[in-house]
Amino acid sequence: MSRPVSFREAVTLVARREFGQRIRERSFFISLLITLGIIAVVVLLPRFSDFGSDSYDVALVGDSSALEEAVSRQASVADVEVSFRSVSDADEAERAVRDGDIDAYVDGDSVVVDQSLDSSLRAVLENAYSQVEGARALESAGIDPAEVSAALTSATLETVTLDPDADERETRGAIAFFGTIVLFGQLITYSMWVAMGVVEEKSSRVVEVILATIPARALLAGKIIGIGLLGLVQLALIGGLGLVLASALGALELSGPMITPVLTALAWFVLGFAAYASLSAAAAARISRQEDLQNVTTPVNTLMMVSYFGAFYVFLNQDSPVAGVLSIAPPFSALIMPLRMARGDAAGWEIALALALMVALIGVLVVLAARIYEGAVLRMGAKVSMKDAWAARRRVSP
Amino acid sequence: MLELDRLSRRYGDVVALDDLSFAVRPGQMYGFVGTNGAGKTTAMRIVLGVLEPHSGEVRWNEAPLNQDIRREFGYMPEERGLYPKMQVHEHLVYLARLHGVSGITATKAASDLLEALALSERASDRIESLSLGNQQRVQLAAALVHEPTVMVLDEPFSGLDPMGVDSMAAVLRARVDAGAAVVFSSHQLELVERLCDAVGIIRAGRLVADGTVDELRGTGAPRYRLDVGAPPGWTASLADAVPGLSVVEDGGRTALVELPPSADDQALLDAARALGTVHQFTPVRPTLAELFRSVVAEPAGAERAGAEKAGAEKAEAA
């Protein structure tokens, strides 16, 4: 009733189990929700701190249509929001200012405020007032009001930006930096899951039952692929929902250049995870109890922490030569290159070199990790030394 | 036929298996008994390829074992092991599929097995929520779910209540009757005697007895229980009358005596009748437990080597 199971089928079965079991665990959704919550807070914070600074309520006393029009025009030039409140007389306007219903009112040649006049509102009102008064003076000197108005409105300064993409680049850099934090969290969490999964199999002895049916390498590969896929799915959800959330809250505009850093981060997650998960699995195979896990995975975690702090350094010192080196040298590149790529700082050859080196490192690590894993995973009890694990590789059955 | 051929295995300087050989036929239930640390677990782990022998090999139908042949094997390790967080039925299906069983067949086989082991109600519970006895039944189911042709079970009955033993034994018996070969180790010798078609006794890594239960029980020196209507002390007269006779138990009227293998039991009966009325004259065959004790009793030197090995094996397995 059974037929031979190919290596690939064995890997697929193991990977499917790992993915299916873990996606059902509550911790998967909890960590997803927490990360999205953090994104929402990060997106919303600047809006809360700015609140009210660029929107004003103003009343104009008396006949004021010319002034109102001029204020509106100035407000749009200065990128502030001014709304008008109609009042019947100066007394009512004064009450409104005292009660804080409006920020200021203009009566004749004076502007009345409760305590102080905000500088941007002052600039808007002053410019508008002098424009209106200037036009009136010119009119009374006999110049056609239409010409005056045309001359005044056309005389605006146009801003020429030498680096028109700077804003967008900054935004992408910020997304990528935040992405680095999330990426680091994913790498460390999911590598830890691999390590914990390996030890769970050893401590529960199920590994003996499994390895009586499939090769150790199939179990290792399936575990890393299954857990890695889950990490990738979660990261894609975080990236996608994060972008949607940020654009819904108005922090950024959802467009191709904004999505690219997220895709880059996903690709680098795959590479980084392959390296760190192999190391974690090999480390975990040497022990038989969860309590010893911290002990053997410390070197791997330290490596990740160093990359993480490297990413901070690079974010703050984008032009330093160290940034260039760190973004190319594996395994640091997994966290740092996405950052530089998002800002457009990395040259094509740098990206290509970083990719090539990372893939080469993964190739070496996978071979080493598989051998250590095979040599250690069936040896219960005390921690297996690296040397023993290396030498004691179980002969592969023909 | 499953053949273990001259298997040897050392742990460091300690010899765990020393030229161990035996064979199990399809349709045969083979009991594997021995003291703690005698090498049973080592031998079983080698059969399943979880451990490599230092010399010797294991064959199935003349062919040396490989991963593909082992796919047809079922294994219940001494240290029970399943994923604690997986559901019972799901876990069985997963293991069957690793053995190459199709999804539909695996689902049905798992359901049937749970039914046979009275675990259907727990099918969607997590393994960790089951009692130890039930976990053990699931462990057996895990070894059987892909309908293996060979089953290697390390202490399958330890820790089970009598009902558990019966249901497990029935399931195993059904598989054996369907043509499977089963090897299991146990310390419950009455159970082995009752269930097994053949028994192997291992001592210090070597097989010291191998055969059907009847054969083994027949190999010892013949013993007889006698009830003679004569005054106490008649056993001494009997021993004088029959050359080579030894008195194992003397209970006044009744006694248990042992004859040398070649002696004539009719001569014994005649000698007894000469002493008084013979109320009982019964051949007594040793139980497996008695046989086991006599076979594993060994010189002190060998005992110590065995004990050291026991320590080494436990250290490896711990």
Side-chain angles (χ1 to χ4, degrees):
Chain A
M1 72 185 241
S2 62
R3 56 190 179 74
V5 178
S6 71
F7 186 83
R8 221 172 121 176
E9 283 172 303
V11 171
T12 311
L13 281 167
V14 174
R16 195 176 296 158
R17 191 200 83 87
E18 296 289 347
F19 188 92
Q21 284 293 306
R22 287 166 202 279
I23 202 168
R24 275 185 276 165
E25 276 174 32
R26 217 176 297 146
S27 56
F28 175 79
F29 290 99
I30 292 174
S31 65
L32 182 61
L33 286 180
I34 288 177
T35 314
L36 287 176
I38 293 172
I39 292 177
V41 168
V42 167
V43 168
L44 283 176
L45 263 185
R47 290 169 60 82
F48 281 130
S49 59
D50 288 352
F51 194 72
S53 67
D54 51 2
S55 116
Y56 305 96
D57 291 318
V58 169
L60 305 175
V61 177
D63 174 32
S64 56
S65 60
L67 185 59
E68 182 172 331
E69 193 186 317
V71 168
S72 299
R73 202 161 48 231
Q74 289 297 327
S76 78
V77 169
D79 202 18
V80 298
E81 208 173 290
V82 176
S83 18
F84 298 99
R85 185 79 60 86
S86 63
V87 288
S88 51
D89 55 21
D91 287 347
E92 189 191 341
E94 196 180 320
R95 263 200 310 279
V97 169
R98 279 193 203 286
D99 295 351
D101 288 345
I102 59 175
D103 294 290
Y105 75 89
V106 180
D107 184 10
D109 58 358
S110 52
V111 53
V112 180
V113 296
D114 190 28
Q115 285 173 1
S116 68
L117 184 57
D118 196 276
S119 61
S120 43
L121 182 58
R122 177 197 298 276
V124 167
L125 293 179
E126 274 178 359
N127 285 346
Y129 181 73
S130 66
Q131 204 175 61
V132 170
E133 286 308 308
R136 187 174 296 152
L138 289 171
E139 267 173 54
S140 46
I143 299 172
D144 178 13
E147 275 177 43
V148 171
S149 149
L152 285 174
T153 48
S154 66
T156 54
L157 269 178
E158 194 188 340
T159 311
V160 178
T161 314
L162 292 176
D163 188 357
D165 299 334
D167 264 5
E168 186 192 293
R169 204 169 55 234
E170 284 303 322
T171 313
R172 278 186 311 186
I175 295 176
F177 181 67
F178 195 69
T180 304
I181 299 175
V182 175
L183 199 56
F184 169 73
Q186 290 297 99
L187 280 179
I188 208 157
T189 307
Y190 282 81
S191 299
M192 205 60 189
W193 276 21
V194 169
M196 282 164 62
V198 169
V199 181
E200 185 199 27
E201 279 169 359
K202 273 190 86 170
S203 64
S204 72
R205 312 293 176 129
V206 72
V207 65
E208 222 167 86
V209 175
I210 305 290
L211 292 192
T213 57
I214 60 168
R217 279 158 192 257
L219 180 60
L220 177 65
K223 183 173 283 297
I224 290 180
I225 291 171
I227 294 179
L229 268 181
L230 187 68
L232 191 63
V233 165
Q234 196 183 41
L235 196 58
L237 282 175
I238 290 171
L241 292 176
L243 281 180
V244 168
L245 198 64
S247 75
L249 294 171
L252 58 84
E253 211 171 305
L254 209 52
S255 63
M258 298 297 155
I259 295 170
T260 316
V262 175
L263 295 179
T264 313
L266 288 180
W268 280 100
F269 168 78
V270 173
L271 296 175
F273 180 77
Y276 288 120
S278 304
L279 286 176
S280 300
R286 297 168 55 210
I287 52 164
S288 308
R289 301 181 310 159
Q290 298 281 4
E291 297 93 286
D292 299 331
L293 197 55
Q294 196 67 44
N295 181 359
V296 289
T297 53
T298 299
V300 188
N301 291 344
T302 307
L303 204 57
M304 274 191 258
M305 291 301 284
V306 169
S307 313
Y308 184 52
F309 291 124
F312 265 101
Y313 175 81
V314 170
F315 184 67
L316 297 174
N317 305 276
Q318 279 142 358
D319 301 323
S320 92
V322 179
V325 172
L326 279 180
S327 70
I328 291 172
F332 309 110
S333 48
L335 277 182
I336 296 171
M337 190 46 111
L339 195 59
R340 291 191 71 218
M341 280 172 76
R343 289 181 40 86
D345 290 346
W349 68 268
E350 287 180 310
I351 298 171
L353 184 59
L355 279 175
L357 288 176
M358 189 69 192
V359 169
L361 179 74
I362 290 169
V364 173
L365 286 182
V366 164
V367 171
L368 297 188
R371 177 150 173 182
I372 299 279
Y373 179 83
E374 269 189 317
V377 75
L378 284 170
R379 289 161 64 109
M380 303 298 171
K383 186 165 98 180
V384 183
S385 76
M386 278 290 188
K387 195 169 132 252
D388 284 354
W390 184 257
R393 182 159 78 130
R394 192 164 62 114
R395 268 176 285 157
V396 181
S397 303
Chain B
M1 182 144 76
L2 178 73
E3 287 171 278
L4 284 72
D5 188 10
R6 286 166 302 164
L7 293 182
S8 294
R9 167 80 203 195
R10 295 174 309 279
Y11 294 114
D13 294 336
V14 182
V15 179
L17 288 185
D18 182 11
D19 258 2
L20 178 81
S21 301
F22 68 88
V24 186
R25 290 193 321 273
Q28 197 178 43
M29 181 118 59
Y30 190 93
F32 197 33
V33 298
T35 51
N36 291 326
K40 302 186 294 291
T41 296
T42 302
M44 292 183 153
R45 296 180 85 210
I46 287 174
V47 172
L48 265 298
V50 176
L51 194 68
E52 286 287 332
H54 287 132
S55 68
E57 68 174 4
V58 186
R59 288 185 295 271
W60 172 244
N61 294 340
E62 324 269 280
L65 293 191
N66 57 30
Q67 192 94 37
D68 201 34
I69 296 176
R70 287 202 179 98
R71 196 169 48 78
E72 307 268 340
F73 285 24
Y75 178 38
M76 182 167 175
E78 179 193 33
E79 300 280 353
R80 312 300 182 216
L82 296 168
Y83 289 107
K85 295 200 187 309
M86 264 183 116
Q87 293 173 6
V88 172
H89 187 269
E90 178 186 36
H91 201 313
L92 295 179
V93 171
Y94 174 61
L95 289 174
R97 300 215 55 196
L98 285 183
H99 280 279
V101 179
S102 74
I104 300 167
T105 318
T107 304
K108 184 170 184 318
S111 302
D112 291 351
L113 255 181
L114 290 177
E115 181 96 18
L117 291 168
L119 279 174
S120 296
E121 286 172 18
R122 315 303 301 269
S124 53
D125 290 0
R126 286 182 173 206
I127 305 270
E128 63 187 356
S129 71
L130 301 184
S131 68
L132 285 178
N134 279 341
Q135 286 191 19
Q136 183 136 338
R137 294 185 204 200
V138 177
Q139 191 85 45
L140 180 77
L144 302 186
V145 68
H146 54 291
E147 299 199 355
T149 48
V150 177
M151 279 164 251
V152 179
L153 316 169
D154 204 347
E155 298 278 354
F157 298 104
S158 72
L160 281 183
D161 63 21
M163 270 88 76
V165 170
D166 287 348
S167 70
M168 231 179 204
V171 169
L172 282 182
R173 192 74 244 175
R175 292 298 166 91
V176 169
D177 291 343
V182 173
V183 190
F184 74 87
S185 67
S186 180
H187 288 298
Q188 289 147 285
L189 296 169
E190 301 74 27
L191 193 67
V192 173
E193 193 167 351
R194 181 155 61 88
L195 291 179
C196 290
D197 307 302
V199 176
I201 300 178
I202 184 173
R203 187 186 72 194
R206 283 177 157 274
L207 206 64
V208 289
D210 183 17
T212 64
V213 174
D214 277 345
E215 280 167 11
L216 289 181
R217 290 174 63 186
T219 52
R223 291 181 172 189
Y224 299 88
R225 187 164 293 283
L226 284 165
D227 182 345
V228 180
W234 62 269
T235 47
S237 317
L238 189 69
D240 290 341
V242 183
L245 181 92
S246 59
V247 181
V248 182
E249 265 173 48
D250 192 348
R253 257 176 74 120
T254 66
L256 183 66
V257 300
E258 186 173 301
L259 280 179
S262 55
D264 179 7
D265 56 355
Q266 294 308 310
L268 172 65
L269 180 58
D270 290 343
R273 286 171 75 174
L275 293 171
T277 316
V278 175
H279 299 291
Q280 186 193 355
F281 178 75
T282 324
V284 176
R285 300 209 303 164
T287 63
L288 188 62
E290 286 164 335
L291 197 73
F292 179 78
R293 284 194 192 91
S294 71
V295 168
V296 299
E298 55 193 319
E303 192 94 57
R304 199 163 48 242
E308 276 168 18
K309 180 160 56 253
E313 186 175 349
K314 284 294 167 265
E316 178 83 6

